[in-house]
Amino acid sequence: MPSSMTQARNGEYHHHWPSDVGIVAMEVYFPAQYVSQEELEKFDGVSSGKYTIGLGQTRMGFCTDREDINSLCLTAVHNLMERNRVPPGAVGRLEVGTETIIDKSKSVKTVLMRLFEASGNTDIEGIDTTNACYGGTAALFNAINWIESSSWDGRFAIVVAGDIAVYATGNARPTGGAGAIAMLVGPNAALVVERGLRGTHMQHAYDFYKPDMSSEYPCVDGKLSIQCYLGALDKCYQRYCHKAEAAAIKEGVTERICIDDFDALCFHTPYCKLVQKSFGRLAFNDFLRDPSPDTTQGGRYCGLEGYRESKREDTFFDKVLEKAAMACSKADYEKKTKPSLHMATNVGNMYTPSLYGGLASLIASSSLDGLVNQKIGMFSYGSGLASSFFSFRVSKDSSQGSPLYSLHHSLSDLQKRLESRACVAPSTFAEAMKLREDTHHLAKYTPVGPTEALFPGTWYLTYVDEMHRRTYSRTDGTIVTRPQQSESSLTSIPAKKAIVSPAKMANTVPVV
């Protein structure tokens, strides 16, 4: 295996990046039951359309006491490896992004190591990464950085983002959800992270936080949360555009980056209506950056002419601007972003997996040929706050057996899986939430939720002993295996393609 650094004749060192690093495969998991938002409106005694139109939500997935953050991530990672035939020894990094904390010391990652016990592979870097809904993105960035560093030993990384989003009875409860998404990360990927194109904004804010360690419920300042989200979007998008424009200049091209440069745009989705407003916000940013904006009737920025000198921070709650920006960007929103909201409207806010549920929805709703070489913009946000805007470039290779072909095929059953869930009455949902509230911290405790309705291949909680030690089991059932990919793309990374630091060559776990 060659080193990632080779010495040039003049004594300087040059880095040989692995090619096309990004997401090779994905596995999506959501609970096997949901509550109808329309029925929940009636149950809660609120006006018709408050949840379904005002929030843009249709269904909300939820967990019984049989599932916790450990079981969600066990299910997603196990199914990812099983469906894609990933040998345990081919994994060199595993990192979890979550804000669902059930232990203040022991990480979810260490629980996931039970999946590797039989193989004897304990040489797996990474632990948990936490900051509200941003942890999954931070874990993905860490995985990318590991592969593009001298620490990489030629193996895959796995990133899993998972959460259970629950709220106390009241206005916030319908914005809950649950799920986990595992991603196989490596070179020659289906979805390539565009190197150097990343705009980040970090700030101290108390918009959403969980200071009560005895409760699953957050403290939320709703108005501040929206202000922080939109403000972070402004800053991240501006910084991304500046970096992309600077990179173009180095290539001899002068261009102004705007929405037109993206074939699709995915957003962190607390609720779907906010995403439509956020897309309009990008159009407003483009309008402010355009030296000659067309504000005529039927023009691209029609209705925005009065906001040319506006400061972004003064417009977060300007309803006239919001409506105008949404109107002038509606056609682009319908094409570039709405297809990504299918999981969000049917499962709810999954917190850390939310953005990647949007990515999975986009892929599932697109034709294979329509995905080739597309540029996908991604906005990740976590309260507190941490945020980034980055992008993927979809692989040009859609041939049978390629990572893109297999990724697209693996998500083709997403709608069927969503429809296979059980719809439960709002009263049953409320009882499940009360049971979680009363028991999520108990020891000793035996869960009482049924296991018969769980999807095949689902890990679930069986017992919590008097020392809070948790025991899990897995449902029986056949896990459908994905189509066999080429050896070089999934089963292993051939030695001739692996990039390993010379100091680590002797200690590399064999890829089997």
Side-chain angles (χ1 to χ4, degrees):
M1 295 182 185
S3 166
S4 59
M5 302 288 287
T6 57
Q7 193 167 13
R9 292 180 180 179
N10 60 3
E12 295 179 352
Y13 285 88
H14 299 280
H15 203 295
H16 292 273
W17 301 101
S19 300
D20 298 334
V21 178
I23 297 173
V24 178
M26 296 177 73
E27 179 67 30
V28 176
Y29 175 76
F30 40 78
Q33 60 282 324
Y34 70 90
V35 62
S36 163
Q37 294 279 14
E38 185 177 1
E39 293 301 313
L40 196 58
E41 289 172 342
K42 299 174 185 176
F43 182 79
D44 290 346
V46 301
S47 59
S48 177
K50 183 172 183 179
Y51 305 158
T52 53
I53 299 174
L55 298 177
Q57 300 302 115
T58 306
R59 300 168 177 175
M60 178 170 56
F62 66 94
C63 297
T64 69
D65 65 341
R66 283 292 184 180
E67 294 186 278
D68 62 16
I69 186 57
N70 291 338
S71 70
L72 294 185
C73 293
L74 280 166
T75 299
V77 173
H78 196 158
N79 290 350
L80 174 77
M81 296 176 66
E82 195 167 85
R83 294 179 200 266
N84 293 284
R85 300 185 178 95
V86 179
V91 179
R93 185 178 183 88
L94 171 59
E95 188 160 344
V96 179
T98 186
E99 62 173 277
T100 305
I101 309 300
I102 57 175
D103 192 297
K104 290 180 283 187
S105 177
K106 181 175 172 61
S107 67
V108 177
K109 154 63 182 294
T110 59
V111 176
L112 299 180
M113 288 304 297
R114 70 174 295 173
L115 299 176
F116 299 86
E117 288 175 355
S119 71
N121 180 17
T122 60
D123 181 14
I124 302 178
E125 296 185 13
I127 47 172
D128 293 3
T129 300
T130 299
N131 188 90
C133 304
Y134 186 79
T137 294
L140 176 61
F141 289 171
N142 289 343
I144 298 293
N145 293 342
W146 175 70
I147 292 171
E148 293 184 342
S149 77
S150 62
S151 298
W152 189 49
D153 59 9
R155 295 181 293 166
F156 289 112
I158 290 178
V159 171
V160 56
D163 274 305
I164 299 172
V166 290
Y167 295 85
T169 303
N171 292 335
R173 175 156 282 186
T175 63
I181 295 181
M183 296 169 275
L184 188 68
V185 181
N188 307 310
L191 307 175
V192 180
V193 175
E194 295 196 294
R195 187 177 295 125
L197 300 185
R198 186 188 305 174
T200 291
H201 175 66
M202 302 278 177
Q203 179 184 331
H204 170 53
Y206 278 117
D207 56 328
F208 171 109
Y209 52 107
K210 297 178 179 177
D212 185 352
M213 298 298 175
S214 66
S215 172
E216 290 190 297
Y217 302 144
C219 295
V220 184
D221 184 330
K223 184 175 181 179
L224 178 60
S225 185
I226 293 173
Q227 176 181 319
C228 288
Y229 182 103
L230 295 178
L233 176 60
D234 286 348
K235 290 181 173 63
C236 289
Y237 184 57
Q238 290 175 69
R239 289 167 186 167
Y240 177 95
C241 290
H242 292 157
K243 290 182 180 181
E245 289 163 1
I249 289 174
K250 290 182 179 179
E251 298 296 325
V253 178
T254 300
E255 61 179 350
R256 179 178 53 81
I257 302 298
C258 66
I259 288 174
D260 288 348
D261 292 285
F262 300 92
D263 298 292
L265 286 153
C266 298
F267 298 77
H268 169 59
T269 309
Y271 53 92
C272 294
K273 199 68 173 182
L274 180 59
V275 170
Q276 187 174 2
K277 295 176 181 179
S278 298
F279 193 97
R281 192 76 189 176
L282 293 189
F284 175 57
N285 273 272
D286 286 349
F287 163 72
L288 294 179
R289 298 181 72 244
D290 192 329
S292 303
D294 181 2
T295 58
T296 60
Q297 188 65 35
R300 177 162 195 164
Y301 302 113
C302 178
L304 301 184
E305 57 273 6
Y307 292 91
R308 188 62 176 169
E309 303 302 322
S310 296
K311 294 182 179 179
R312 292 175 176 84
E313 60 269 22
D314 295 335
T315 63
F316 295 136
F317 301 103
D318 189 321
K319 294 300 182 182
V320 176
L321 168 62
E322 179 183 278
K323 184 177 180 179
M326 289 171 63
C328 71
S329 62
K330 183 178 180 181
D332 281 336
Y333 163 78
E334 295 279 344
K335 177 184 177 182
K336 298 175 185 285
T337 294
K338 190 174 181 180
S340 71
L341 298 179
H342 192 61
M343 274 192 65
T345 191
N346 281 286
V347 178
N349 183 8
M350 298 185 291
Y351 285 170
T352 53
S354 170
L355 176 62
Y356 302 96
L359 182 61
S361 296
L362 175 68
I363 295 168
S365 65
S366 303
S367 68
L368 180 61
D369 290 340
L371 285 169
V372 171
N373 202 37
Q374 285 206 333
K375 184 182 181 75
I376 304 172
M378 305 283 287
F379 175 62
S380 181
Y381 178 83
S383 294
L385 61 81
S387 58
S388 292
F389 191 103
F390 61 105
S391 56
F392 289 108
R393 177 66 71 176
V394 181
S395 172
K396 296 179 182 179
D397 181 7
S398 62
S399 60
Q400 187 169 352
S402 68
L404 178 57
Y405 176 91
S406 297
L407 175 62
H408 183 263
H409 185 276
S410 74
L411 295 171
S412 62
D413 65 345
L414 186 58
Q415 179 61 30
K416 182 179 179 181
R417 291 171 57 197
L418 286 167
E419 293 300 330
S420 71
R421 296 175 298 165
C423 178
V424 304
S427 58
T428 303
F429 164 70
E431 290 169 2
M433 293 298 97
K434 185 63 168 66
L435 180 63
R436 287 194 67 87
E437 182 178 326
D438 293 341
T439 64
H440 76 278
H441 59 290
L442 292 184
K444 36 196 232 181
Y445 178 68
T446 301
V448 299
T451 61
E452 295 79 13
L454 296 174
F455 288 130
T458 298
W459 284 87
Y460 61 93
L461 181 66
T462 57
Y463 184 61
V464 183
D465 73 11
E466 65 279 1
M467 293 183 65
H468 294 268
R469 294 175 296 198
R470 294 173 176 246
T471 305
Y472 300 87
S473 187
R474 194 183 189 214
T475 58
D476 293 330
T478 302
I479 300 298
V480 178
T481 304
R482 307 301 188 206
Q484 181 68 54
Q485 296 195 21
S486 62
E487 182 179 357
S488 63
S489 65
L490 252 189
T491 303
S492 67
I493 301 176
K496 66 180 181 179
K497 292 186 178 181
I499 302 174
V500 184
S501 168
K504 293 205 170 196
M505 283 184 185
N507 299 320
T508 299
V509 174
V511 178
V512 295

